């Protein structure tokens, strides 16, 4: 499947939240079947928790409130954001 291969190519270069990848694929392809996302998630190529953990770990100095807002703007669910931020060790 062309869309699946294109998605894998994008994910090879960097991690995306599901919503971000959805936007990227929609910009290139008219219709993106849900099966593409289901397959990427089942194989753990697409994982919002992993994306959020990596995003937060590289930007700890921004603070919890800013990161919460940034992740929400990238389409990460509030539940996932709270889960990741609650177990993050913040600098003193």
């Amino acid at each position: 499947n062309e869309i699946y291969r294109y998605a894998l190519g994008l994910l090879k270069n960097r991690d995306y939240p599901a919503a971000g990848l959805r936007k990227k694929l929609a910009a290139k392809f008219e219709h993106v079947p849900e099966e593409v996302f289901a397959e990427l998630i089942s194989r753990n190529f697409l994982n919002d928790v992993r994306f959020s953990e990596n995003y937060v770990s590289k930007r700890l100095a921004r603070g919890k409130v800013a990161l919460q807002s940034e992740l929400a703007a990238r389409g990460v669910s509030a539940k996932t954001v709270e889960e990741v931020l609650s177990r993050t060790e913040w600098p003193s």
Side-chain angles (χ1 to χ4, degrees), residues 1 3-4 18 22 25 31-42 46:
N1 182 330
I3 299 170
Y4 184 78
R22 191 176 300 276
L25 293 176
H31 173 70
V32 181
E34 282 302 313
E35 294 80 26
V36 170
F37 294 100
E39 182 69 19
L40 292 169
I41 291 167
S42 74
L46 188 60

